[in-house]
Amino acid sequence: MSTASPPTGDDLVRVLATLANPHRLRVVAALARERAYVSGLARQLGISRALLQVHLRKLAAAGLVTARLELSEDGKAMNYYEVEPFVLTLTPGVIAAAVETLTVPDSGEQPGAQR
């Protein structure tokens, strides 16, 4: 997620929808303290790796986290995740400007949803 320009309507919907989940908020908070690999982060948060992977994919799709594959000392591939710096300022004016850029959803589709 870019910090340089105001978010588009679709970007705003995507980011807010992504952050509107307690597990994902906890993931962002943990990664704000330090980068982590999937297994270690799952243990730290007390959730399964499979559930964590779902949340990490959604956070990555919204541009809030990134992953980097690294090799451990014993040669095992490990995905390390870290938070991408972002600033989200919500004001009535920002929302009004973002609404002007929303795409019109197809029937049954949420604005800002992945296509």
Side-chain angles (χ1 to χ4, degrees), residues 21-68:
N21 178 286
H23 288 301
R24 290 192 285 272
L25 286 178
R26 292 177 60 222
V27 169
V28 169
L31 293 176
R33 290 188 291 276
E34 65 180 336
R35 72 187 191 112
Y37 64 98
V38 174
S39 295
L41 186 57
R43 280 191 300 274
Q44 179 185 346
L45 297 175
I47 61 176
S48 72
R49 287 180 52 209
L51 179 60
L52 177 58
Q53 289 282 11
V54 168
H55 292 303
L56 286 169
R57 276 193 296 276
K58 290 183 183 213
L59 288 164
L64 300 172
V65 302
T66 55
R68 186 171 58 224

Side-chain angles (χ1 to χ4, degrees), residues 2-104:
S2 171
T3 59
S5 60
T8 66
D10 292 345
D11 287 342
L12 185 59
V13 168
R14 187 174 19 264
V15 168
L16 291 177
T18 300
L19 291 174
N21 178 286
H23 288 301
R24 290 192 285 272
L25 286 178
R26 292 177 60 222
V27 169
V28 169
L31 293 176
R33 290 188 291 276
E34 65 180 336
R35 72 187 191 112
Y37 64 98
V38 174
S39 295
L41 186 57
R43 280 191 300 274
Q44 179 185 346
L45 297 175
I47 61 176
S48 72
R49 287 180 52 209
L51 179 60
L52 177 58
Q53 289 282 11
V54 168
H55 292 303
L56 286 169
R57 276 193 296 276
K58 290 183 183 213
L59 288 164
L64 300 172
V65 302
T66 55
R68 186 171 58 224
L69 192 61
E70 296 180 16
L71 292 178
S72 66
E73 289 179 10
D74 62 357
K76 186 174 18 170
M78 301 170 71
N79 245 345
Y80 277 87
Y81 283 85
E82 56 192 349
V83 171
E84 281 296 306
F86 66 92
V87 174
L88 183 59
T89 302
L90 284 179
T91 65
V94 168
I95 292 170
V99 165
E100 296 298 320
T101 65
L102 281 171
T103 57
V104 178

